[in-house]
């Protein structure tokens, strides 16, 4: 079928299967004009012809008296053989089609079947009935047939293939094809809503917009089509549809009787007529919608300005008459009609409706709509105190919408008016709102604080002034019983207080805010308070957080608001990730709109990927965040770096962070403390560990929660334990990791429980007290299995590295002082010292390395660099030895100074080996020895003594002898190359 057909894969496949089958069939493709019926028929005919079928395709539309017989005359001309009078003797036509179908499939295509006469339809029905067992497929297309029409018998017999509008994604695909580039998501949604997905309407709208530049005018071809469909309707139906068009693309039928004056039953019958005309869809629970936005637009265009204004006023009255509708549930729709009713509506009443919508108790409206209602309310308000409050609300809403540039001058306008009115309370509210919004106006804060409390000595910080104002507003509101001011003060106090270690006080404020909201039936405030409360309880490690999270989600669902719904999805994603349900968390996050969640969706995506160790995807995310409005990209990139083992990048970031106790805003400080603890533990830097410990110690017993709940960094006990482990205090680390595990299990936070258990296992294996090894390894197995099961691949890999570092040796080959102890494949023997055993010992210590026989002959000491020349050591080699010896001397001194005795001992060991090599290469007299003679002697000697050792092992330890013969090669260089690798205790 034609690959250019968009959104018709199902119908196309159905037709293809019928044409390729071995029986007859009658298909009736139905749908409105422009829906794509003709395109589908043409594609089917083309594909059938290409596959070898006999195709006859005609249109049934033909003006004049011949219309009744027209389609079959054309069909007969398309078929091979002598013409037949189909209408007079359709049996002859059936016989002829059956004969043709014996050689190859036959496809008869009849478009515009609506225009065929009764005789032609009878022939089609007869042919379909009598070719059912022949390879004759009849494919016809018509508009949606009315019940009882002449097409009814065919509808009963045919397999009806209804074509409907394209989906939103398919409209986007069609737009891309027509325009040449992918459109914006909002453009696709708008065009889909306007055209109902009708492909012809989509194309005509785009072409008309390209030629005229108008995004709102209706293309003439579409307008003509819609007007033709409306022209056949009775005037009462048009009147009812016009009223519905003023209500919107979607509307409730319950409002129409009050708007038109018609009885309910009559309105229902008129709407049924419109549904039958394919102009409306729906009807369930009184909810209807126009099939296309252009139908509604055409109806509105036919109304005069006075008629439209009158219908908007009628809509306001209709909402007011229907119980419950003029309240919060439909406040946005009501405000729209209020505005367009204009001066026809009382000014005070209009202002009340506009503010009701702007303040939207259920947060059903998006910010843009609320901003619009606030602006319209300001056009009507006369009271100047009310103007200040409305202006502050508008500024706050602009800030929530991310319009910081627009919010700032509106805040300033409200502050200026409050000053002019000389009202201390209004000035205080303006100053505090401004401080919580786009930034602190310290002059206004100081002025407002002075008006409330009197002048303060010195220059107090803005935060001190803001807290004082918020507490004063809250105290006054409590005394005066002003719940509106109390809600403002409590929420301001909470936001100003936010930071690590404040969860107990924040939880108390959220509880009082909830009580205030319930007294005033403020759904939005209760949602907000409940959201604040679950976050505070989580920081406290209180498992009741889950109850309040569920309560918030239920409140958000009952309000039906898009923003509340988006926040609820984000919160549920956080909770799912906390429980280790990563697939569910990701699915919820995918449903969160960036428009509502701002940068939070990006941060949650980062946290989710990080916890699973998906570092490849994290790299791409960090790259994209550089192009987005994300406030702390370097911080989370540094956290990712240290988790991925890139300590250098993390340390470079750390060096760039300004010094001070709070280098980041308080809402981000827990994330900063987590990073500091992680990089300190990873580098085991003592000073850095103490810095991180000092930052975390005040919050012992709490959880690290940042970004108002958008980032959960685990229990503080986990990071303190990691610092203890970095300092080698294994007893404290074991106790700390155990406490972190207990806290995580209390909240059913499986990922953090696994992190704590992994740390605990590592501490046990490092302490190595009696029973620690078995307990640690058992715990590692448990963590690895659980981490792999839930998708924490990074943690599972870290566990494997811990196990590999602590795994005992596979075999033993070491000199115990008097004899060699050799263990392999479960058997251990002792042998007297020989040079051959010493040679093998050297090779086992450098698997995969080609060791010169001269090195083995001289005693097996491995120099820092193996050299080759005519002389055992040429001048370049001597110079390199001297440089390396100088480096080792400096390294020994440095390690000794910082107390790193292990590093000093290792360097000293390498230094002795180099000196031994120099002595062997120089000979007894100090003159350079020639390589040729020396190398040959070494080859023979070393080969002989290794072979002799292996012969002795044949009797004492056959498995070890066999392994060494398979893996050791001798010659001028000797190599030990095991596969798989063997860990030797040497």
């Amino acid at each position: 079928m034609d690959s250019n057909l968009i959104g018709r894969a199902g119908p196309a496949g159905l037709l293809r299967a019928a044409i390729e089958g071995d029986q007859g069939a009658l298909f009736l493709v139905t749908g409105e004009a422009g829906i794509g019926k003709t395109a589908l028929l043409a594609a089917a005919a083309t594909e059938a012809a290409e596959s070898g079928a006999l195709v006859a395709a005609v249109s049934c539309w033909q003006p004049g008296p011949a219309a009744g017989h027209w389609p079959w005359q054309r069909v007969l001309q398309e078929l091979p053989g002598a013409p037949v009078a189909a209408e007079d003797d359709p049996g002859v036509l059936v016989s002829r089609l059956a004969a043709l179908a014996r050689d190859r499939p036959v496809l008869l295509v009849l478009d515009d079947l609506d225009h065929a006469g009764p005789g032609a339809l009878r022939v089609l029905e007869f042919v379909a009935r009598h070719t059912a067992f022949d390879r004759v497929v009849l494919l016809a297309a018509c508009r949606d047939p009315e019940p009882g029409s002449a097409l009814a018998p065919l509808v009963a017999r045919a397999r009806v293939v209804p074509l409907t509008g394209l989906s939103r994604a398919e409209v986007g695909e069609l737009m891309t094809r027509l325009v040449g580039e992918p459109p914006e998501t909002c453009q696709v949604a708008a065009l889909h809503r306007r055209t109902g997905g009708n492909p012809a309407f989509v194309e005509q709208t785009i072409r008309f917009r390209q030629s005229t530049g108008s995004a709102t005018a209706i293309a003439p071809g579409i307008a003509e089509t819609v007007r033709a469909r409306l022209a056949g309707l009775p005037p009462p139906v048009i009147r009812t549809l016009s009223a519905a068009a003023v209500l919107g693309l979607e509307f409730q039928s319950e409002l129409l009787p009050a708007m038109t004056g018609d009885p309910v039953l009559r309105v229902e019958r008129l709407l049924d007529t419109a549904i039958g005309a394919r102009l409306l869809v729906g009807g369930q629970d009184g909810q209807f919608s126009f099939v296309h936005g252009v139908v509604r637009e055409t109806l509105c265009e036919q109304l005069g300005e006075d008629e439209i204004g009158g219908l908007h006023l009628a809509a306001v009255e209709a909402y007011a008459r229907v119980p419950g509708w003029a309240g919060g549930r439909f406040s946005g729709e009501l405000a729209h009609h209020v505005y367009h009713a204009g001066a026809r509506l009382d000014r005070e009443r209009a202002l009340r409706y506009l503010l009701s919508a702007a303040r939207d108790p259920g947060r059903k409206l998006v910010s843009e709509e609320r901003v619009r209602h606030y602006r319209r309310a300001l056009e009507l308000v006369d009271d100047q105190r009310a103007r200040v409050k409305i202006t502050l609300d508008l500024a706050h809403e602009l800030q929530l919408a991310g319009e910081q540039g627009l919010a700032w001058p509106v805040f300033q306008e409200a502050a200026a008016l409050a000053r002019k009115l000389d009202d201390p309370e209004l000035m205080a509210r303006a100053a505090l709102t401004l401080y919580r919004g786009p930034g602190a106006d310290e002059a206004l804060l100081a002025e407002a604080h002075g008006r409330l409390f009197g002048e303060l000595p010195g220059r107090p910080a803005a935060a001190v002034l803001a807290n004082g104002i918020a507490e004063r507003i809250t105290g006054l509101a409590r005394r005066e019983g002003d719940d509106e001011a109390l809600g403002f003060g409590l929420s301001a106090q909470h936001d100003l207080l936010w930071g690590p270690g404040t969860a107990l006080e924040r939880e108390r404020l959220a509880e009082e805010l909830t009580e205030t909201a319930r007294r005033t039936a403020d759904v939005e405030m209760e949602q907000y308070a409940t959201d604040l409360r679950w976050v505070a309880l989580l920081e406290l490690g209180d498992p009741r957080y889950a109850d309040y999270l569920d309560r918030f989600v239920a409140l958000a669902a009952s309000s039906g608001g898009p923003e509340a719904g988006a926040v609820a999805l984000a919160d549920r994603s956080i909770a799912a990730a906390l429980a280790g349900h990563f697939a569910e968390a990701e699915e919820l996050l995918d449903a969160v709109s960036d428009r509502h969640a701002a940068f939070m969706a990006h941060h949650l995506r980062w946290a989710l990927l990080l916890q699973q160790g998906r570092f490849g995807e994290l790299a791409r995310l960090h790259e994209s965040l550089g192009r987005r409005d994300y406030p702390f990209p370097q911080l989370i990139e540094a956290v990712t770096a240290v988790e991925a083992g890139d300590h250098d990048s993390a340390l470079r970031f750390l060096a760039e962070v300004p010094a001070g106790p709070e280098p980041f805003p308080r809402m981000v400080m827990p994330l900063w403390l987590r990073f500091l603890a992680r990089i300190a533990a990873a580098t085991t830097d003592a000073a850095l560990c103490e810095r991180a410990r000092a930052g975390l110690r005040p919050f012992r017993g709490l959880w690290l929660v940042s970004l108002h709940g958008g980032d959960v960094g685990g229990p503080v006990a986990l990071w303190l334990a990691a610092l203890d482990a970095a300092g080698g205090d294994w007893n404290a680390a074991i106790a700390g990791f155990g406490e972190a595990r207990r806290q995580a299990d209390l909240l059913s936070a499986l990922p953090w429980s696994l992190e704590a258990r992994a740390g605990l296992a590592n501490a046990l294996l490092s302490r190595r007290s009696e029973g620690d090894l078995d307990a640690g390894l058992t715990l590692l197995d448990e963590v690895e299995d659980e981490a792999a099961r839930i998708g924490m691949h990074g943690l599972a890999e870290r566990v494997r590295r811990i196990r590999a570092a602590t795994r005992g040796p596979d075999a033993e080959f070491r000199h115990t002082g008097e004899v060699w102890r050799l263990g392999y494949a479960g058997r251990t023997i002792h042998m007297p010292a020989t040079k051959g055993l010493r040679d093998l010992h050297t090779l086992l210590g450098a698997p995969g390395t080609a060791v010169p026989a001269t090195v083995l002959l001289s005693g097996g000491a491995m120099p820092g660099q193996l050299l080759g020349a005519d002389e055992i050591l040429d001048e370049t080699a001597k110079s390199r030895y001297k440089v390396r010896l100088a480096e080792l001397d400096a390294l020994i001194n440095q390690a000794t100074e910082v107390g790193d005795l292990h590093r000093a001992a290792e360097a000293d060991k390498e230094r002795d080996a180099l000196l031994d090599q120099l002595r062997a290469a120089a000979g007894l007299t100090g003159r350079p020895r020639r390589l040729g003679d020396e190398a040959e002697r070494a080859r023979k000697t070393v080969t002989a003594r290794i072979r002799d050792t292996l012969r002795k092992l044949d009797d004492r330890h056959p498995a070890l002898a066999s392994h060494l013969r398979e893996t050791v090669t001798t010659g001028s260089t000797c190599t030990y190359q095991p596969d798989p690798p063997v860990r030797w205790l040497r």
Side-chain angles (χ1 to χ4, degrees):
M1 205 66 67
D2 187 352
S3 60
N4 289 326
L5 287 176
I6 294 176
R8 304 306 185 205
L14 187 67
L15 299 180
R16 181 184 300 111
I19 294 168
E20 293 174 352
D22 55 3
Q23 287 189 326
L26 170 61
F27 287 92
L28 193 59
V29 180
T30 64
E32 66 179 3
I35 204 68
K37 302 184 297 295
T38 299
L40 180 63
L41 265 58
T46 300
E47 183 172 326
E50 290 174 352
S51 67
L54 175 60
V55 178
V58 300
S59 172
C60 298
W61 186 85
Q62 171 72 7
H69 300 284
W70 167 251
W72 294 111
Q73 294 172 358
R74 281 292 309 276
V75 167
L76 292 168
Q77 293 172 10
E78 295 282 333
L79 295 174
V84 177
E87 283 77 3
D88 297 333
D89 193 352
V92 176
L93 176 59
V94 167
S95 300
R96 184 171 171 191
L97 289 172
L100 291 170
R102 283 195 287 269
D103 297 326
R104 53 176 172 162
V106 176
L107 174 65
L108 301 186
V109 179
L110 293 89
D111 199 2
D112 296 316
L113 197 63
D114 324 70
H115 299 285
L121 294 178
R122 284 194 295 271
V123 170
L124 178 58
E125 196 273 336
F126 182 87
V127 171
R129 186 167 65 252
H130 292 283
T131 58
F133 298 102
D134 298 304
R135 292 188 298 171
V136 176
V137 175
L138 304 170
L139 178 57
C142 65
R143 295 188 184 181
D144 296 310
E146 298 287 343
S149 71
L151 289 170
L154 283 174
V155 171
R157 171 170 293 280
R159 182 160 187 179
V160 178
V161 181
L163 296 188
T164 56
L166 302 179
S167 68
R168 185 176 298 182
E170 290 160 353
V171 167
E173 184 181 348
L174 180 55
M175 291 175 71
T176 301
R177 183 179 297 174
L178 294 170
V179 177
E181 60 182 11
E184 296 290 333
T185 303
C186 59
Q187 294 175 327
V188 176
L191 189 57
H192 182 266
R193 185 167 55 250
R194 192 177 188 202
T195 64
N198 183 299
F201 286 7
V202 170
E203 183 170 358
Q204 289 182 55
T205 300
I206 290 175
R207 300 297 186 211
F208 187 66
R209 183 181 303 171
Q210 289 173 333
S211 62
T212 65
S214 173
T216 57
I218 305 174
I222 300 176
E224 183 181 350
T225 300
V226 173
R227 282 195 292 267
R229 293 174 65 181
L230 293 173
L233 295 174
V237 175
I238 296 296
R239 185 180 68 249
T240 303
L241 287 179
S242 297
V246 168
L247 288 175
L249 185 64
E250 297 178 351
F251 60 92
Q252 282 282 344
S253 62
E254 192 172 355
L255 296 169
L256 292 175
M259 292 179 67
T260 64
D262 289 325
V264 172
L265 292 178
R266 178 174 172 78
V267 168
E268 289 177 355
R269 288 196 297 272
L270 295 173
L271 291 176
D272 286 341
T273 302
I275 290 176
R278 306 297 191 269
L279 294 171
L280 295 179
V281 293
Q284 186 174 4
D285 297 326
Q287 182 74 29
F288 291 81
S289 65
F290 288 93
V291 290
H292 310 301
V294 290
V295 173
R296 174 179 172 266
E297 293 171 33
T298 302
L299 285 162
C300 289
E301 282 186 356
Q302 294 177 352
L303 295 172
E305 185 176 340
D306 287 342
E307 286 181 285
I308 290 180
L311 284 171
H312 279 295
L313 179 61
V316 173
E317 300 300 344
Y319 276 108
R321 290 178 204 166
V322 177
W325 281 43
R329 186 180 173 196
F330 294 96
S331 57
E333 294 94 321
L334 179 57
H336 168 76
H337 298 301
V338 164
Y339 180 77
H340 288 286
R344 297 173 180 84
L345 188 65
D346 173 74
R347 189 183 186 91
E348 184 179 343
R349 186 181 175 199
L351 179 61
R352 185 171 71 252
Y353 284 144
L354 287 170
L355 288 177
S356 175
R359 288 165 181 162
D360 186 25
R363 304 294 283 183
K364 296 181 297 300
L365 307 184
V366 296
S367 285
E368 292 89 334
E369 292 177 273
R370 288 195 294 273
V371 164
R372 183 166 61 248
H373 296 321
Y374 275 126
R375 291 194 185 281
R376 290 173 174 175
L378 285 171
E379 296 174 11
L380 300 176
V381 67
D382 294 320
D383 181 85
Q384 295 303 292
R385 282 181 54 84
R387 175 172 288 276
V388 173
K389 292 184 178 181
I390 294 171
T391 304
L392 287 173
D393 287 341
L394 169 61
H396 181 61
E397 199 61 56
L398 286 167
Q399 183 212 351
L400 291 178
E403 299 288 352
Q404 304 292 357
L406 296 176
W408 177 259
V410 177
F411 273 120
Q412 296 286 23
E413 179 187 340
L417 182 56
R419 277 195 183 99
K420 182 179 177 181
L421 294 174
D422 195 25
D423 188 316
E425 192 228 330
L426 282 179
M427 286 179 63
R429 183 177 286 220
L432 197 56
T433 306
L434 189 61
Y435 179 78
R436 296 168 65 198
D441 183 335
E442 295 194 26
L444 182 61
L445 274 172
E447 185 179 353
H449 195 280
R451 294 295 305 277
L452 288 172
F453 301 102
E455 297 297 329
L456 289 177
R459 298 184 62 183
V464 173
L465 296 173
N467 276 304
I469 292 172
E471 290 175 6
R472 178 62 179 268
I473 290 175
T474 303
L476 286 173
R478 286 194 187 108
R479 284 196 297 273
E480 296 175 3
D482 186 346
D483 280 334
E484 189 274 333
L486 181 58
F488 176 85
L490 289 170
S491 61
Q493 274 191 271
H494 179 281
D495 291 354
L496 294 168
L497 182 67
W498 217 102
T502 63
L504 198 60
E505 177 62 13
R506 295 193 336 260
E507 201 265 336
R508 186 194 66 75
L509 289 170
E511 182 179 11
E512 187 177 359
L513 192 60
T514 301
E515 294 169 358
T516 306
R518 289 175 178 169
R519 281 198 303 272
T520 58
D522 190 330
V523 180
E524 179 187 353
M525 186 187 295
E526 185 176 358
Q527 284 179 12
Y528 176 64
T530 309
D531 202 20
L532 299 180
R533 198 168 185 185
W534 82 256
V535 174
L537 289 169
L538 174 60
E539 187 177 334
L540 291 168
D542 189 329
R544 290 183 301 152
Y545 91 90
D547 297 333
Y548 284 92
L549 174 59
D550 290 343
R551 191 173 301 175
F552 168 72
V553 171
L555 286 169
S558 66
S559 75
E563 291 191 10
V567 174
L569 286 171
D571 287 359
R572 289 172 57 200
S573 176
I574 294 167
L578 188 62
H581 304 151
F582 296 127
E584 179 187 351
E586 192 159 9
E587 184 178 346
L588 289 165
L589 197 52
D590 288 340
V592 176
S593 165
D594 290 353
R595 178 183 181 187
H596 297 304
F599 77 90
M600 189 59 69
H602 308 312
H603 187 89
L604 294 180
R605 182 82 57 189
W606 166 78
L608 191 58
L609 295 174
L610 184 73
Q611 204 153 30
Q612 296 174 82
R614 292 158 63 178
F615 293 108
E617 292 169 78
L618 279 166
R620 293 190 291 276
L621 178 67
H622 285 303
E623 183 180 352
S624 72
L625 288 183
R627 302 188 298 270
R628 298 177 186 269
D629 185 21
Y630 183 85
F632 312 106
Q634 291 83 12
L635 175 57
I636 64 169
E637 193 166 354
V639 176
T640 298
V642 71
E643 292 289 349
D646 182 4
H647 300 162
D648 290 342
S649 295
L651 288 170
R652 280 195 298 273
F653 166 76
L654 180 62
E656 295 170 358
V657 175
E662 291 191 1
F664 288 93
R666 301 194 73 203
M667 72 170 181
V668 189
M669 280 302 295
L671 181 60
W672 159 252
L673 291 174
R674 169 187 171 186
F675 164 72
L676 197 60
R678 189 72 177 87
I679 187 60
T683 58
T684 66
D685 183 295
L688 195 54
C689 283
E690 185 52 39
R691 179 184 172 187
R693 189 177 282 108
L696 287 168
R697 195 179 290 121
F699 312 120
R700 186 187 297 273
L702 302 177
W703 282 63
L704 293 179
V705 179
S706 306
L707 300 172
H708 301 285
D711 183 274
V712 181
V716 173
L718 173 71
W719 303 110
L720 288 171
L723 295 171
D724 290 332
D729 189 346
W730 301 117
N731 289 334
I734 288 169
F737 283 125
E739 174 60 17
R741 175 184 181 177
R742 185 195 69 78
Q743 292 180 19
D745 289 342
L746 184 63
L747 298 190
S748 300
L750 179 57
W752 292 110
S753 175
L754 293 175
E755 290 280 0
R757 281 182 265 170
L760 176 60
N762 189 42
L764 288 168
L765 294 170
S766 299
R767 185 175 69 175
R768 292 185 175 275
S769 295
E770 184 177 354
D772 283 353
L773 182 62
D774 289 341
L777 290 174
T778 300
L779 200 52
L780 281 182
D781 291 340
E782 172 189 311
V783 171
E784 184 178 8
D785 289 345
E786 279 287 276
R789 180 183 67 80
I790 69 173
M792 293 182 71
H793 306 297
L795 178 60
E797 178 57 33
R798 199 188 325 150
V799 165
R800 286 189 282 271
R801 289 198 299 270
I802 295 172
R803 186 186 291 107
T806 57
R807 180 168 61 90
D810 301 317
E812 185 177 5
F813 203 115
R814 62 192 179 98
H815 194 227
T816 62
E818 297 180 358
V819 297
W820 285 83
R821 179 181 173 89
L822 311 179
Y824 184 79
R827 182 182 180 189
T828 301
I829 63 170
H830 297 82
M831 292 185 68
T834 65
K835 292 182 178 178
L837 287 172
R838 187 188 64 189
D839 295 338
L840 289 168
H841 182 262
T842 300
L843 295 175
L844 296 182
T849 302
V851 182
T854 54
V855 172
L856 296 173
L857 185 65
S858 64
M862 293 287 291
Q865 187 168 357
L866 298 174
L867 306 168
D870 284 342
E871 293 181 351
I872 294 292
L873 290 178
D874 60 14
E875 291 305 317
T876 301
K878 291 176 184 177
S879 175
R880 291 177 180 171
Y881 270 85
K882 290 178 182 178
V883 170
R884 181 57 182 161
L885 285 169
E887 291 174 350
L888 289 170
D889 287 337
L891 182 61
I892 292 167
N893 291 335
Q894 182 186 23
T896 303
E897 288 176 4
V898 299
D900 193 345
L901 300 181
H902 177 72
R903 285 180 66 201
E906 289 296 317
D908 191 55
K909 185 177 178 181
E910 182 181 347
R911 183 178 183 278
D912 289 343
L914 286 176
L915 290 173
D916 288 343
Q917 182 64 24
L918 279 170
R919 295 187 193 100
L924 296 177
T925 65
R927 295 191 303 273
R929 291 159 56 180
R930 307 302 296 181
L931 182 62
D933 295 340
E934 193 68 30
E936 180 59 19
R937 185 173 74 84
R939 183 187 68 78
K940 292 179 180 179
T941 303
V942 170
T943 300
R945 61 197 196 190
I946 287 178
R947 287 178 179 173
D948 181 62
T949 299
L950 293 179
R951 281 195 295 271
K952 292 176 182 178
L953 281 173
D954 283 335
D955 295 330
R956 301 289 309 281
H957 202 319
L960 178 58
S962 175
H963 170 72
L964 293 174
R965 277 198 180 89
E966 292 174 359
T967 55
V968 174
T969 58
T970 59
S972 58
T973 61
C974 303
T975 307
Y976 172 59
Q977 189 75 50
D979 185 19
V982 178
R983 293 166 55 89
W984 291 93
L985 177 62
R986 298 173 65 252

